[in-house]
DNA sequence: GCCAACGTTGGC
DNA sequence: GCCAACGTTGGC
């Protein structure tokens, strides 16, 4: 089993919205970055776990845990002219963008803010989220980093 | 194939 | 709202 981190803007779709879905499942659509796509399409498996990271908000950080609920399949929004994720270059017989469905697992008891992650330069060495200028919206998390971040969950502010 | 221009991301 | 970093586009 592998671990992941997936970013979302909570104003658009956050952990609360995922929990509120009827089956607590949602397609993770709109990813338009090739590396992020490749992670979903080629390396994710059903049952993998992912942190939900909230970006572009008052307190960026990790807020919840999701489970990968489906294998990757073509993102329907690429073919939808009315979608803001529409891609005129994508054709059904040759899809360009893929997604997975995610299922709500739980909220973190206490969110782990980005600032707290940044303070852990030693233990989180190599974590892609903390790489300068990193904007990847889907990235792998090593088992060691996953466990360490979960250990931060209950600790509140690290300051 | 280079690279400048452009659009987007996302912390602050 | 600012702006730095990054990915993509398109002219040449």
């Amino acid at each position: 089993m592998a671990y992941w981190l997936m970013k979302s803007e909570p104003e658009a779709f956050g952990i609360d919205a995922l929990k509120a879905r009827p089956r607590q499942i949602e397609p993770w659509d709109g990813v338009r970055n090739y590396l992020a796509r490749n992670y979903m399409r080629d390396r994710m498996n059903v049952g993998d776990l992912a942190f939900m990271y909230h970006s572009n908000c008052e307190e960026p950080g990790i807020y919840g845990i999701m489970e990968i609920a489906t294998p990757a399949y073509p993102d329907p929004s690429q073919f939808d002219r009315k979608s803001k994720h529409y891609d005129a270059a994508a054709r059904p017989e040759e899809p360009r963008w893929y997604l997975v469905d995610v299922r709500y697992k739980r909220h973190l008891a206490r969110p782990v803010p980005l600032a707290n992650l940044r303070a852990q330069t030693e233990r989180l060495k190599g974590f892609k989220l903390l790489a300068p200028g990193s904007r990847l919206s889907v990235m792998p998390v090593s088992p060691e980093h996953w466990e360490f971040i979960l250990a931060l969950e209950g600790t509140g502010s690290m300051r």
Side-chain angles (χ1 to χ4, degrees), chain A residues 1 4 11 14 31 41 50 62 65 91 124 132 136 140 153 159:
Chain A
M1 180 175 73
W4 305 94
E11 210 166 292
V31 171
R41 188 186 61 184
I62 297 171
I65 297 177
R91 285 140 26 99
L124 294 179
L136 252 192
E153 175 184 1
R159 269 169 274 201

Side-chain angles (χ1 to χ4, degrees), chain A residues 29-64:
Chain A
D29 66 353
V31 171
R32 294 295 181 267
N33 170 282
Y34 288 107
L35 187 49
R37 177 203 70 181
N38 292 348
Y39 283 136
M40 289 197 292
R41 188 186 61 184
D42 306 334
R43 292 188 41 199
M44 272 187 186
N45 287 295
V46 173
D48 285 358
L49 297 179
F51 287 132
M52 183 183 271
Y53 178 90
H54 287 182
S55 66
N56 245 321
C57 57
E58 191 171 339
E59 180 104 82
I62 297 171
Y63 281 77

Side-chain angles (χ1 to χ4, degrees), chain A residues 13-24:
Chain A
F13 186 75
I15 191 73
D16 293 339
L18 178 59
K19 185 182 183 182
R21 282 288 186 269
R23 294 167 55 235
Q24 301 190 324

